[in-house]
Amino acid sequence: MRWPLPSALLVALLIVSCSKERGAPPQAPRERSTTTNHTTSVDRDRLSGSDPTSTKPSPTTRPMLRPRRLPLPGRSADPPNALGPAEFLAYLPRTTSFVLSFHGIERLAKVVDLAQLRTGLASRLTGVRQLATTIGFDPLHPDQYAQAGIDAQKPFGLFIVSGEPTLAGLFFGVKSQLRLFATLRRAPFKGADVIPLGKETTLLRWPRPGIVVVVRGRVAIVLATVGAPSIAVTTKLARTIAGLPRRDSLARDALRVAHVARRFDLWGELRPSAIRRALDERLEALPREIQRETQPWRKNMLSDQQMILRVLRGFAAGIGPLRVAGRATANALRLDWSVKIGAESWLHGLFLGPVRPVVAPFIAQPPMVYLRYHFDPEKLWQLVRRVAQSVAPTRSQAVLARLDKLLLKPIASYWTKQVAGALELAVLPATATVPPQLAFAASLTSDAPGRDLAPLLRSLGLKTRTSGGLTVYRIPLARVFTRADIELVFAHRTLLVATDPATIDAFVATKRVASFLAGLPKTVRDACNDGHSVLNVLQLGLFGRVVELQLQLAMHTLAASMRQRWLAVAATRDDPTLVAKVRARLAAMEKLGLAEVRRRQLTMRALYQRFGAVVSMATVTARGLSGQLIWQVRSPSFASLIQRTVLDLFRERKLENEYQRRLQAAQNEIRTLLEHRK
């Protein structure tokens, strides 16, 4: 019987160790592997604000230890030169409404491949080299930031402080205060007022541009007002930040942010609570300003501002922080986000569960915009009424209430029961031979709307055709917007509106085509095929076609106006030979203009194609909404995208200057002919 004594000793040691742990500082959480590109469940919980440690850990993962408290500014447990992933939050006031932080300058340089950019754009960086000579370090070389006293390995970012006026700021880590001050004493930073505020805190002011820099420990914060510069307001906030107690800062969010910041390349947070406070202060002051105002135009402007702020205040009510965290690869950026929507919010219950595509499988041509939403029809109608009531002036509230009772409510009571809430829209760009196309689908709960609206549609005298035994109505009024007739049909408990008859026929016959979904990048294609409450797809490459047509239209308009002007002048000379020569010169100018349009169109097409596609999606959760945004470029990397774009823009400027020179020479020839024959 040797076991009782060792067991008792073991129990005693455990009790002593536990009592010591209670008095000792909490331990830092263990780092987990970050090799995966997918958000872990803990990451999602931290992003949404819930506590993953409250649930029982799975057998395959270690239990997370109790996280340590964030050290106070100036008393960091990290090495003297270090700035933790979220330590700067202890320097931001609680009136901060927006924060966007990047992992570090060095990490950002690797994501965009700054070394490749320096090599590929060497001939275009003369201005940067001149700036480097002036300030003492090259901003395109992260390893040189230490010479300026800036810590390139620590987070940097932007923030906005709500108030009157609004202030914007930039924060970054400080490697050495002495070196930073030496940099700020160089041109073009000369002329600053230096105000020591403590042992490790200094304030630097540039009164004319209204910029203030606060250097506090290992953090530097640059402040400026949004709009008209106000050095007094900026200095007041700078002094507040310089002596900001921890309890009045955003430090309580530092543990969650630190957890996320270690695993993502960037993170951000929009804080509606701070925005609501600023809106309330402004709405409280506006009535007095309107009453004191004597100029009618100014009074109307303030009244319009009051209506807009009421709408914004309504949307901000009940909305929790919008949190974003992102990872970047060579040619893609993924953002994970979440937002809490409270019961008092206008948006509460607006979105329903996931819904799959209805009309997309019947569209072959790639759209530049594809949207899919799943609303609660009654909540959507309530939102429209709330916005209308907030925007309508006080004198119109009685009229609006009467209109709502007699007309709008009966219509809404019918359609909120008949519409299922799934909406889908595809907008296709125009080509040289095909006008812009669109397709819109709304899911219905029954076939009753088709039967109920048939007499009204027939009474309008619309042209009709038959497809699969169903009546298709043609609306010629839409030529104003699409340069093509719009067709409308009720089929398969869906209201479908489209400009392409082939889409209508394929949908009615349920005959799927080679859908544009197959040609999308895999990440975007998977998002479209999966069910989501909200889905937005922007194919940036196709926006180039819109720019192409705008260029062609602008050039034709310019050529027509020039032809009319010069021929009118030539006609006054009463010389047929002169008119023929002017016509020949104008024909040459038009040929030159058409060649220039074609060149610009090809440039715009190549430029936009590289930007690929952006897809954003959202899903309803118990707390509100969560989703992702993915940007997939069609270049090998972001570095090659930036390099090719910059070089194309420089070349475009050179070619455009050459075209303007030739155009001016042609106009001078015509002017010389006309002056010679006076």
Side-chain angles (χ1 to χ4, degrees):
M1 297 293 296
R2 297 183 179 181
W3 294 109
L5 183 58
S7 299
L9 289 175
L10 180 60
V11 171
L13 289 174
L14 287 174
I15 294 175
V16 172
S17 62
C18 290
S19 63
K20 287 183 178 181
E21 287 181 357
R22 290 193 187 97
Q27 299 296 317
R30 295 181 183 271
E31 288 288 343
R32 296 187 301 163
S33 173
T34 59
T35 56
T36 178
N37 287 329
H38 300 286
T39 311
T40 63
S41 61
V42 175
D43 290 336
R44 288 193 296 269
D45 292 336
R46 292 288 186 179
L47 191 61
S48 63
S50 59
D51 186 7
T53 60
S54 62
T55 58
K56 185 177 179 181
S58 61
T60 58
T61 59
R62 298 181 180 180
M64 181 173 289
L65 298 180
R66 183 182 177 188
R68 64 181 176 87
R69 290 178 61 84
L70 189 71
L72 291 172
R75 297 172 55 187
S76 174
D78 294 323
N81 286 352
L83 172 64
E87 186 177 342
F88 58 84
L89 291 178
Y91 301 84
L92 302 185
R94 302 208 64 80
T95 53
T96 301
S97 57
F98 174 74
V99 184
L100 179 64
S101 174
F102 297 89
H103 198 279
I105 297 175
E106 285 191 355
R107 171 59 183 162
L108 182 62
K110 292 179 180 178
V111 169
V112 301
D113 199 350
L114 203 55
Q116 177 182 339
L117 289 178
R118 288 197 306 267
T119 303
L121 300 176
S123 60
R124 302 296 179 182
L125 298 178
T126 54
V128 177
R129 287 191 289 269
Q130 293 174 358
L131 176 64
T133 304
T134 304
I135 64 178
F137 75 101
D138 189 344
L140 297 182
H141 282 268
D143 53 351
Q144 295 187 18
Y145 276 78
Q147 302 175 13
I150 301 173
D151 197 333
Q153 297 180 346
K154 300 306 173 183
F156 75 97
L158 311 169
F159 67 94
I160 295 176
V161 178
S162 297
E164 190 63 34
T166 301
L167 291 100
L170 166 70
F171 59 84
F172 56 87
V174 176
K175 192 81 170 179
S176 168
Q177 286 194 5
L178 294 177
R179 291 182 179 178
L180 180 61
F181 293 150
T183 301
L184 294 178
R185 283 194 294 267
R186 300 172 65 101
F189 310 115
K190 287 184 178 180
D193 300 331
V194 181
I195 307 174
L197 298 179
K199 183 178 180 182
E200 293 186 346
T201 305
T202 305
L203 188 147
L204 298 93
R205 296 192 314 171
W206 287 264
R208 177 164 295 182
I211 297 176
V212 179
V213 176
V214 182
V215 182
R216 183 179 175 188
R218 297 301 178 184
V219 177
I221 298 177
V222 184
L223 294 171
T225 54
V226 177
S230 175
I231 190 64
V233 175
T234 309
T235 303
K236 181 179 179 181
L237 178 61
R239 289 182 176 274
T240 301
I241 290 176
L244 188 66
R246 181 182 179 85
R247 63 179 179 275
D248 297 332
S249 70
L250 302 182
R252 70 178 185 180
D253 299 329
L255 292 177
R256 171 184 52 78
V257 171
H259 180 91
V260 174
R262 289 190 182 98
R263 290 161 171 78
F264 292 90
D265 296 323
L266 66 90
W267 70 269
E269 185 168 293
L270 180 66
R271 304 171 61 85
S273 58
I275 298 176
R276 288 195 297 268
R277 285 193 295 268
L279 290 174
D280 290 339
E281 293 175 1
R282 184 58 181 160
L283 285 172
E284 184 179 354
L286 269 174
R288 295 190 296 269
E289 293 185 24
I290 295 174
Q291 188 176 5
R292 291 194 304 264
E293 190 58 53
T294 58
Q295 298 183 7
W297 68 270
R298 175 71 179 171
K299 188 183 291 287
N300 292 335
M301 186 184 70
L302 292 176
S303 299
D304 293 341
Q305 182 182 358
Q306 186 180 32
M307 290 186 292
I308 295 173
L309 292 181
R310 281 202 298 261
V311 174
L312 293 178
R313 181 61 179 83
F315 277 106
I319 301 294
L322 170 63
R323 292 162 178 161
V324 179
R327 291 192 184 94
T329 60
N331 63 347
L333 173 66
R334 170 178 171 170
L335 300 178
D336 295 275
W337 60 270
S338 68
V339 61
K340 180 182 177 181
I341 302 178
E344 66 275 20
S345 171
W346 287 6
L347 301 178
H348 180 73
L350 178 62
F351 299 100
L352 299 178
V355 61
R356 295 194 174 275
V358 175
V359 71
F362 305 96
I363 300 177
Q365 183 183 349
M368 62 180 181
V369 178
Y370 174 71
L371 311 176
R372 191 166 73 232
Y373 295 88
H374 194 191
F375 293 110
D376 183 331
E378 292 188 5
K379 294 289 184 180
L380 181 60
W381 174 244
Q382 292 177 8
L383 176 62
V384 173
R385 293 181 70 249
R386 284 174 171 174
V387 172
Q389 291 172 355
S390 299
V391 171
T394 305
R395 61 182 179 273
S396 303
Q397 291 291 336
V399 178
L400 181 64
R402 189 176 306 171
L403 181 65
D404 185 25
K405 180 180 180 180
L406 297 178
L407 180 63
L408 301 181
K409 274 189 176 179
I411 296 176
S413 62
Y414 175 82
W415 281 104
T416 52
K417 295 177 181 178
Q418 297 297 335
V419 176
L423 307 178
E424 196 171 353
L425 174 67
V427 180
L428 290 72
T431 63
T433 57
V434 180
Q437 303 285 329
L438 65 86
F440 171 79
S443 60
L444 306 173
T445 58
S446 67
D447 295 326
R451 296 191 301 268
D452 296 340
L453 288 179
L456 175 62
L457 294 173
R458 285 195 298 267
S459 67
L460 296 176
L462 300 177
K463 293 182 179 181
T464 61
R465 67 181 182 89
T466 303
S467 177
L470 299 176
T471 302
V472 180
Y473 301 91
R474 181 170 297 175
I475 307 175
L477 184 63
R479 287 180 181 272
V480 178
F481 306 101
T482 64
R483 296 184 309 193
D485 289 342
I486 282 183
E487 293 191 338
L488 180 150
V489 67
F490 291 90
H492 312 304
R493 293 191 175 183
T494 301
L495 167 62
L496 178 61
V497 179
T499 54
D500 186 7
T503 302
I504 296 279
D505 296 337
F507 180 78
V508 171
T510 62
K511 183 179 180 181
R512 296 181 176 237
V513 299
S515 174
F516 70 91
L517 297 175
L520 296 175
K522 185 177 185 304
T523 52
V524 180
R525 183 173 66 250
D526 293 344
C528 292
N529 289 326
D530 293 340
H532 295 284
S533 304
V534 176
L535 178 66
N536 306 301
V537 179
L538 303 179
Q539 297 202 72
L540 301 178
L542 298 180
F543 277 87
R545 297 185 182 179
V546 179
V547 179
E548 291 177 28
L549 294 177
Q550 293 297 326
L551 286 172
Q552 186 173 352
L553 178 62
M555 188 62 68
H556 283 315
T557 303
L558 177 62
S561 64
M562 290 177 59
R563 184 190 310 111
Q564 183 179 4
R565 179 162 55 97
W566 288 119
L567 289 178
V569 175
T572 61
R573 302 294 188 267
D574 195 19
D575 187 348
T577 305
L578 176 62
V579 174
K581 290 182 178 180
V582 171
R583 287 185 182 277
R585 297 294 192 281
L586 288 174
M589 288 174 57
E590 290 184 13
K591 184 177 180 181
L592 177 65
L594 291 176
E596 176 66 11
V597 166
R598 185 56 182 166
R599 184 194 63 75
R600 292 187 189 181
Q601 287 178 336
L602 293 176
T603 301
M604 290 297 103
R605 184 178 303 178
L607 179 66
Y608 278 86
Q609 282 291 341
R610 301 190 199 109
F611 285 91
V614 176
V615 56
S616 63
M617 64 208 82
T619 304
V620 177
T621 64
R623 297 173 58 87
L625 289 174
S626 67
Q628 297 84 36
L629 184 146
I630 302 172
W631 178 23
Q632 179 81 45
V633 302
R634 290 189 179 274
S635 295
S637 64
F638 284 110
S640 61
L641 173 67
I642 297 172
Q643 178 181 335
R644 293 285 300 278
T645 301
V646 171
L647 292 178
D648 283 352
L649 292 178
F650 273 103
R651 186 178 67 253
E652 179 69 15
R653 182 190 300 177
K654 182 178 179 181
L655 293 174
E656 184 176 352
N657 291 337
E658 175 63 20
Y659 164 72
Q660 293 294 338
R661 185 190 65 78
R662 296 176 62 184
L663 180 63
Q664 187 64 39
Q667 293 184 23
N668 290 337
E669 289 182 8
I670 297 177
R671 191 177 291 109
T672 301
L673 281 173
L674 295 175
E675 291 177 353
H676 182 67
R677 295 298 181 91
K678 283 184 179 180

